[in-house]
Coordinates of all heavy atoms in Angstrom, one line a residue:
R635 N 1.2 71.9 4.0 CA 1.1 73.1 3.2 C 2.5 73.5 2.8 O 3.4 73.4 3.7 CB 0.4 74.2 4.0 CG -1.1 74.1 4.0 CD -1.7 74.9 5.0 NE -1.3 74.5 6.4 CZ -1.7 73.4 7.0 NH1 -2.6 72.6 6.4 NH2 -1.2 73.0 8.2
A636 N 2.7 73.9 1.6 CA 4.0 74.3 1.1 C 4.0 75.6 0.4 O 3.0 75.9 -0.3 CB 4.6 73.2 0.3
R637 N 5.0 76.4 0.5 CA 5.2 77.6 -0.3 C 6.1 77.3 -1.4 O 7.3 76.9 -1.2 CB 5.7 78.8 0.5 CG 5.8 80.1 -0.3 CD 5.9 81.3 0.6 NE 7.1 81.4 1.4 CZ 8.2 82.0 1.0 NH1 8.3 82.6 -0.2 NH2 9.3 82.0 1.7
L638 N 5.7 77.4 -2.6 CA 6.5 77.1 -3.8 C 6.8 78.4 -4.5 O 6.1 79.4 -4.5 CB 5.7 76.2 -4.8 CG 5.1 75.0 -4.2 CD1 4.3 74.2 -5.3 CD2 6.1 74.1 -3.6
R639 N 8.0 78.4 -5.1 CA 8.4 79.6 -6.0 C 8.7 79.0 -7.4 O 9.6 78.3 -7.6 CB 9.6 80.3 -5.4 CG 10.1 81.4 -6.3 CD 11.0 82.3 -5.5 NE 10.3 83.0 -4.4 CZ 11.0 83.6 -3.4 NH1 12.3 83.7 -3.4 NH2 10.2 84.2 -2.5
G640 N 7.9 79.4 -8.3 CA 8.0 79.0 -9.7 C 8.2 80.1 -10.7 O 8.4 81.3 -10.2
P641 N 8.1 79.9 -11.9 CA 8.3 80.9 -13.0 C 7.4 82.1 -12.8 O 7.7 83.2 -13.2 CB 8.1 80.2 -14.3 CG 8.3 78.8 -14.0 CD 7.8 78.6 -12.5
H642 N 6.2 81.9 -12.2 CA 5.2 83.0 -12.1 C 5.1 83.5 -10.7 O 4.1 84.1 -10.3 CB 3.8 82.5 -12.6 CG 3.9 82.0 -14.0 ND1 4.2 82.8 -15.1 CD2 3.7 80.7 -14.5 CE1 4.2 82.0 -16.2 NE2 3.9 80.8 -15.8
G643 N 6.1 83.3 -9.8 CA 6.1 83.8 -8.5 C 5.7 82.8 -7.4 O 5.8 81.5 -7.7
D644 N 5.4 83.2 -6.2 CA 5.1 82.3 -5.1 C 3.7 81.8 -5.1 O 2.8 82.5 -5.6 CB 5.4 83.0 -3.8 CG 6.9 83.2 -3.5 OD1 7.7 82.9 -4.5 OD2 7.2 83.7 -2.4
E645 N 3.5 80.6 -4.6 CA 2.2 80.0 -4.5 C 2.2 79.1 -3.3 O 3.1 78.4 -3.0 CB 2.0 79.1 -5.8 CG 0.7 78.3 -5.8 CD 0.6 77.4 -7.0 OE1 1.5 77.3 -7.8 OE2 -0.5 76.7 -7.1
H646 N 1.0 79.0 -2.7 CA 0.8 78.1 -1.5 C -0.1 77.0 -2.0 O -1.1 77.2 -2.6 CB 0.1 78.9 -0.4 CG 1.1 79.9 0.3 ND1 1.2 81.1 -0.2 CD2 1.9 79.8 1.4 CE1 2.1 81.8 0.6 NE2 2.5 81.0 1.5
V647 N 0.4 75.8 -1.7 CA -0.4 74.6 -2.0 C -0.6 73.7 -0.8 O 0.2 73.8 0.2 CB 0.4 73.7 -3.1 CG1 0.6 74.6 -4.4 CG2 1.7 73.2 -2.6
A648 N -1.6 72.9 -0.9 CA -2.0 72.0 0.2 C -2.1 70.6 -0.3 O -2.4 70.4 -1.5 CB -3.3 72.4 0.9
A649 N -1.7 69.6 0.5 CA -1.8 68.2 0.1 C -1.9 67.4 1.3 O -1.8 67.9 2.5 CB -0.6 67.8 -0.7
G650 N -2.2 66.1 1.1 CA -2.3 65.2 2.3 C -1.0 64.8 2.9 O -0.8 64.7 4.1
Y651 N 0.0 64.6 1.9 CA 1.3 64.1 2.4 C 2.4 64.8 1.5 O 2.1 65.2 0.3 CB 1.4 62.6 2.3 CG 0.4 61.9 3.2 CD1 -0.8 61.6 2.8 CD2 0.8 61.6 4.6 CE1 -1.7 60.9 3.7 CE2 -0.1 61.0 5.4 CZ -1.3 60.7 5.0 OH -2.2 60.1 5.8
V652 N 3.6 64.8 1.9 CA 4.7 65.3 1.1 C 5.8 64.2 1.1 O 6.1 63.6 2.2 CB 5.3 66.6 1.7 CG1 5.8 66.5 3.1 CG2 6.4 67.2 0.8
L653 N 6.4 64.0 0.0 CA 7.5 63.1 -0.2 C 8.8 63.9 -0.6 O 8.7 64.6 -1.6 CB 7.3 62.0 -1.2 CG 5.9 61.2 -1.1 CD1 5.9 60.1 -2.2 CD2 5.7 60.7 0.2
G654 N 9.8 63.8 0.2 CA 11.1 64.5 -0.2 C 12.0 63.5 -0.9 O 12.6 62.6 -0.3
A655 N 12.1 63.7 -2.2 CA 13.0 63.0 -3.1 C 14.0 63.9 -3.7 O 14.4 63.8 -4.9 CB 12.2 62.2 -4.1
D656 N 14.4 64.9 -3.0 CA 15.2 66.0 -3.5 C 16.7 65.9 -3.2 O 17.4 66.9 -3.0 CB 14.7 67.4 -3.0 CG 14.3 67.4 -1.5 OD1 14.3 66.4 -0.9 OD2 14.1 68.5 -1.0
G657 N 17.2 64.7 -3.1 CA 18.7 64.5 -3.1 C 19.4 64.6 -1.8 O 18.8 64.9 -0.8
G658 N 20.7 64.5 -1.9 CA 21.5 64.4 -0.6 C 21.5 65.7 0.2 O 21.6 65.7 1.4
R659 N 21.3 66.9 -0.5 CA 21.1 68.1 0.2 C 19.7 68.5 0.4 O 19.3 69.7 0.3 CB 21.9 69.2 -0.6 CG 23.4 69.0 -0.7 CD 24.1 70.2 -1.3 NE 25.5 70.1 -1.3 CZ 26.2 69.5 -2.3 NH1 25.6 69.0 -3.3 NH2 27.5 69.4 -2.2
S660 N 18.9 67.5 0.7 CA 17.4 67.7 0.7 C 16.9 68.8 1.6 O 17.2 68.9 2.8 CB 16.8 66.4 1.2 OG 15.4 66.5 1.5
H661 N 16.2 69.8 0.9 CA 15.6 70.9 1.7 C 14.4 70.3 2.4 O 14.0 70.8 3.5 CB 15.2 72.0 0.7 CG 14.6 73.2 1.4 ND1 15.2 73.9 2.4 CD2 13.4 73.8 1.2 CE1 14.5 74.9 2.8 NE2 13.3 74.8 2.1
T662 N 13.7 69.3 1.8 CA 12.6 68.7 2.5 C 13.0 68.1 3.9 O 12.3 68.3 4.9 CB 11.9 67.6 1.7 OG1 11.6 68.1 0.4 CG2 10.6 67.1 2.3
R663 N 14.1 67.4 3.8 CA 14.7 66.8 5.1 C 14.9 67.9 6.1 O 14.6 67.7 7.3 CB 16.0 66.0 4.8 CG 16.5 65.3 6.0 CD 17.7 64.5 5.6 NE 18.8 65.3 5.2 CZ 19.6 65.2 4.1 NH1 19.3 64.3 3.2 NH2 20.6 66.1 3.8
S664 N 15.5 69.0 5.7 CA 15.7 70.1 6.6 C 14.4 70.7 7.2 O 14.3 70.9 8.4 CB 16.5 71.2 5.9 OG 16.7 72.3 6.7
Q665 N 13.4 70.8 6.3 CA 12.1 71.4 6.8 C 11.4 70.4 7.7 O 10.7 70.9 8.6 CB 11.2 71.7 5.5 CG 11.7 72.8 4.7 CD 11.4 74.2 5.4 OE1 10.3 74.5 5.6 NE2 12.5 74.9 5.7
L666 N 11.7 69.1 7.5 CA 11.0 68.2 8.5 C 11.8 68.0 9.7 O 11.4 67.3 10.6 CB 10.9 66.8 7.7 CG 9.9 66.7 6.6 CD1 10.1 65.4 5.9 CD2 8.5 67.0 7.0
G667 N 13.0 68.6 9.8 CA 13.8 68.6 11.1 C 14.5 67.2 11.3 O 14.7 66.8 12.4
I668 N 14.8 66.5 10.2 CA 15.4 65.2 10.3 C 16.9 65.3 10.0 O 17.3 66.1 9.0 CB 14.8 64.2 9.3 CG1 13.3 64.0 9.6 CG2 15.5 62.9 9.2 CD1 12.5 63.2 8.6
T669 N 17.7 64.7 10.8 CA 19.2 64.7 10.6 C 19.7 63.4 10.0 O 18.9 62.4 9.9 CB 19.9 65.0 11.9 OG1 19.6 64.0 12.8 CG2 19.5 66.3 12.4
M670 N 20.9 63.3 9.6 CA 21.5 62.1 9.0 C 22.7 61.7 9.9 O 23.3 62.5 10.7 CB 22.0 62.3 7.6 CG 21.0 62.7 6.7 SD 21.4 62.5 4.9 CE 21.0 60.8 4.6
Q671 N 23.0 60.4 9.9 CA 24.1 59.9 10.7 C 25.0 59.0 9.8 O 24.5 58.4 8.8 CB 23.7 59.2 11.9 CG 22.8 57.9 11.6 CD 22.3 57.3 12.9 OE1 22.1 58.0 13.9 NE2 21.9 56.0 12.8
G672 N 26.3 58.9 10.1 CA 27.2 58.2 9.3 C 28.4 59.0 9.0 O 28.8 59.9 9.8
R673 N 29.1 58.7 7.9 CA 30.4 59.4 7.7 C 30.6 59.5 6.2 O 30.1 58.8 5.4 CB 31.5 58.7 8.4 CG 32.0 57.4 7.8 CD 33.0 56.8 8.6 NE 33.6 55.6 8.0 CZ 34.7 55.5 7.2 NH1 35.3 56.7 7.0 NH2 35.1 54.4 6.7
S674 N 31.5 60.5 5.9 CA 32.0 60.6 4.5 C 33.4 59.9 4.5 O 34.1 59.8 5.5 CB 32.1 62.1 4.1 OG 30.9 62.7 4.1
H675 N 33.8 59.5 3.3 CA 35.0 58.7 3.1 C 36.1 59.6 2.5 O 35.8 60.5 1.6 CB 34.8 57.5 2.3 CG 33.9 56.5 2.9 ND1 34.3 55.5 3.7 CD2 32.5 56.5 3.0 CE1 33.3 54.8 4.2 NE2 32.2 55.4 3.8
D676 N 37.3 59.4 2.9 CA 38.4 60.3 2.5 C 38.9 60.0 1.1 O 39.4 60.8 0.4 CB 39.6 60.1 3.4 CG 39.3 60.7 4.8 OD1 38.5 61.6 4.9 OD2 40.0 60.2 5.8
D677 N 38.7 58.7 0.6 CA 39.1 58.4 -0.7 C 38.5 59.3 -1.8 O 37.3 59.6 -1.7 CB 38.8 56.9 -1.0 CG 39.3 56.0 0.0 OD1 40.2 56.4 0.7 OD2 38.8 54.8 0.1

C-alpha cells in the first residue's frame, strides 16, 4: 500500500508489488529499509 500525492491531493493505492526505479536518491529504497555500499570517487 502506498500514499501518493498528486495534483488533486493525497490518495492511497494498493498493488501486489512495488518496483523502485526512482534513481540514486530513491525514496522507495529508503521506505524498504535498504542501504547501499561502495564509495564515491574524488575525480
Side-chain angles (χ1 to χ4, degrees):
R635 281 160 299 284
R637 181 163 68 94
L638 307 179
R639 176 164 296 166
H642 305 294
D644 288 8
E645 175 186 4
H646 290 84
V647 300
Y651 297 90
V652 61
L653 310 186
D656 45 346
R659 295 185 175 91
S660 171
H661 183 56
T662 308
R663 186 178 65 231
S664 176
Q665 289 287 295
L666 293 174
I668 297 174
T669 59
M670 301 195 86
Q671 61 186 25
R673 70 186 187 93
S674 298
H675 296 265
D676 294 333
D677 305 340

